[in-house]
Every structure is written in structure tokens, then in C-alpha cells.
Amino acid sequence: MAVIHLPVPLPAFLTAPLRSHHTLTEVPCPDACALVVPGGYAVQPALIDSLPQLQIISVFGVGYDGVPIAHCRDKGIRVTNTPDVLTEDVADIATALVLMTSRCLAAAERFTRASSWPQAAFPLAHALRGKTAGIVGLGRIGKAIAHRLSAHGLKIAYHGRQPQDLPHQYCSSLIELAETSDFLIIACPGGPETRHLIQAEVLRALGPTGTLINIARGSVVDETALIEALKTGTIRAAGLDVFANEPHVPAELLACENAVLLPHVGSATHETRQAMAQLVIDNLSAHFAGQPLLTPVC
Ligand code: 8YV
């Protein structure tokens, strides 16, 4: 029986099984030896320092950009996340955003519901075949996106720290990737290293027939520059599942007809969230039993 601190509410299918073996607390308590947080949640070093018994932080998500990893390493605190189990769902949402933006599907759906169809035909959209998807960060999720988009007839290019042994075009710079791409797809981790990687110059390189897709973290994109690029036609469209200041989406972005905006639903299926919850539980059980962690970050 351990004391686990959950600073924000998490789903019952995660908390109920945890509660049957442990004490859960919503307020920081000096006895807490574990912390469970959603992906991207900013864990302040001061919170860590206020929990003298803290041994492990388990992130309910793949992205641990909110956790000060170096600070945890210094203090010998273990960190786990939930990779792999959400890869396919997140790649599905990236693919959906590519289809929604290219074929204007959200607008087409609104058009039908507004009973506009009898008066006029819906404007023509853009085909996918022969276009290029440029993936920023060809990790597990990036590869799953590449796999899906190849099946839709797109060529794949990518940018990352180094070329990989794959049959896709490697671009050594982000600008080169943006110039090459019809769809520039962000699939890299968040955090200080990638903050505002996508700024005005990259959007200019993507150009007026280009679309930005982001299923990673809002922090990777300079949202002000993106809004400007959408308003001025510097790029054609954007498909976004993540935002800089979630759950708040700037009014100016909400007003952009050429943006498709989803409420961070990349991993939001019953099956995947259940699998993520199980991984959090299994990592904590392994830790408290002195066994190796299943998916350690550090
Ligand atoms: C979830 C995520 O929204 O995995 C991540 O890093 O951002 C998403 O899967 C989140 O973690 C659910 O709490």
C-alpha cells in the first residue's frame, strides 16, 4: 500500500484499480512515493522537492516533456511513460487530419448539415496521390504515419537528427523538408529542444500549397506565426490536434476557416486509454515489487 499523488483527475479505469492497492491523494502529501500525471503535464521541480518520499513518476502518455528528467535523475527518481500502445491511434488521427484538410471534410460536413447542397455544389478539393508528406521526427509514431500515408499514394520525406536506413527521402534541414513537403507533419517530442521549431521561416518554406499537421505538442509550433500564415495564405491549411495552451485555443485560430482543430484526441479511444492505464499500473506494480520497469524513461 503506497501513497500516490495525482495532481489532476485521471480516468476511473486508471484510478479504480490503483485505489484497490494504494492510497490516492489529489493534494501533495509528504508520504507520497509515486506521482501519476497525464502526458505533457508540467511537473514543477518544486513539487518534486516537496515530496521527500517520491520514488517514481508515471506518465499516463507517451510524451514526458512536462517532467524535468535531469532533476529526476539527480534525485534518483524513476520515470515511466506509455509508448507503443498509442502509436496506431495517434497515426490514425494524423492521417485523418491529412484527409480532412486536403478534402475539406469538416467544411463539407457543415455544408451538408446547413442544407446548402440543393443550392450549390461543394467546391473541389485537393487529391493526395503524388503529393509529399514531410515528417518531422520519424520515430515510432512518425513511421506509423509514413506507413499509412504511403498507402494513400504519398511520397514520404523526413527530417530528424540523423538519416535512417529507410526508403524515404532524408532532408538534413527543416527548411529543406518544408520546401519538399505538401504536408509537413509534426511527430517529434515536445520540450525545450523543439520549442517553436516551426516558425515563420519554416511556414514560408512550406508555402501557399502547403499544409501543417501537428499531432505532437503545441509547443513545437509558434502559434502566432501559424495564425498569421493561415490568415495571409502563406500556407494553405493546418490540421491540429494539439495547441500551445490546452485546453484553450486562441480566438484567432478558431476564426481560421482553413484550419481543422481537434481537442487533443490522438490517443482518445477506449482501447488505447485502457492499454495506457494498464501500462501505468504495471509499471507502478513492477516498481513496488522491486522488478524492472516495463517502459522506463529513466
Ligand atoms: C494524451 C498525450 O492526451 O501520450 C501523450 O503524450 O499527449 C496523449 O496521449 C494524454 O497523455 C492523456 O492523458
Side-chain angles (χ1 to χ4, degrees):
M1 171 80 78
V3 177
I4 302 179
H5 175 39
L6 278 65
V8 287
L10 287 169
F13 53 79
L14 171 58
T15 55
L18 284 179
R19 197 170 279 117
S20 62
H21 292 99
H22 305 289
T23 302
L24 306 191
T25 147
E26 282 171 20
V27 286
C29 133
D31 296 344
C33 50
L35 190 59
V36 179
V37 294
Y41 179 84
V43 178
Q44 300 302 331
L47 172 65
I48 294 174
D49 296 343
S50 74
L51 304 174
Q53 305 296 324
L54 189 64
Q55 299 165 16
I56 182 165
I57 300 176
S58 191
V59 179
F60 178 59
V62 66
Y64 51 87
D65 45 302
V67 181
I69 298 295
H71 193 67
C72 291
R73 275 208 184 96
D74 286 350
K75 301 197 77 155
I77 294 167
R78 309 297 310 272
V79 178
T80 64
N81 67 340
T82 63
D84 300 318
V85 292
L86 46 64
T87 299
E88 308 298 327
D89 275 2
V90 177
D92 285 345
I93 287 296
T95 308
L97 285 170
V98 167
L99 283 160
M100 288 179 81
T101 49
S102 60
R103 301 299 298 270
C104 305
L105 295 180
E109 211 264 353
R110 288 194 295 271
F111 177 89
T112 312
R113 281 185 195 276
S115 301
S116 306
W117 197 4
Q119 287 88 51
F122 188 71
L124 298 182
H126 299 278
L128 290 186
R129 64 180 176 283
K131 303 281 166 53
T132 299
I135 301 179
V136 182
L138 200 63
R140 284 175 284 225
I141 293 174
K143 288 192 179 88
I145 296 170
H147 178 72
R148 282 159 175 72
L149 293 183
S150 298
H152 284 269
L154 284 98
K155 291 173 270 187
I156 306 296
Y158 68 102
H159 169 70
R161 282 202 201 101
Q162 58 214 17
Q164 303 185 46
D165 189 14
L166 291 166
H168 306 312
Q169 180 188 346
Y170 176 69
C171 295
S172 58
S173 83
L174 192 50
I175 295 293
E176 185 194 340
L177 183 73
E179 283 169 351
T180 305
S181 301
D182 298 289
F183 297 89
L184 186 64
I185 303 178
I186 316 304
C188 61
E193 274 183 33
T194 57
R195 188 180 147 74
H196 288 192
L197 203 60
I198 307 301
Q199 26 71 358
E201 193 193 356
V202 177
L203 296 169
R204 273 198 300 278
L206 181 56
T209 59
T211 296
L212 182 78
I213 304 289
N214 191 2
I215 48 80
R217 282 287 183 261
S219 60
V220 182
V221 176
D222 176 346
E223 221 164 59
T224 308
L226 173 62
I227 291 166
E228 187 62 18
L230 285 166
K231 278 166 51 175
T232 56
T234 302
I235 65 169
R236 177 184 283 156
L240 309 172
D241 186 42
V242 290
F243 302 88
N245 184 28
E246 293 175 14
H248 306 287
V249 179
E252 273 191 292
L253 195 48
L254 293 173
C256 289
E257 287 286 334
N258 50 351
V260 173
L261 312 171
L262 302 183
H264 200 148
V265 291
S267 68
T269 64
H270 293 288
E271 296 84 350
T272 290
R273 287 284 167 87
Q274 187 69 56
M276 290 162 65
Q278 195 57 52
L279 203 41
V280 168
I281 293 163
D282 291 347
N283 271 305
L284 289 172
S285 302
H287 174 76
F288 291 125
Q291 304 288 326
L293 299 174
L294 281 82
T295 49
V297 173
C298 75

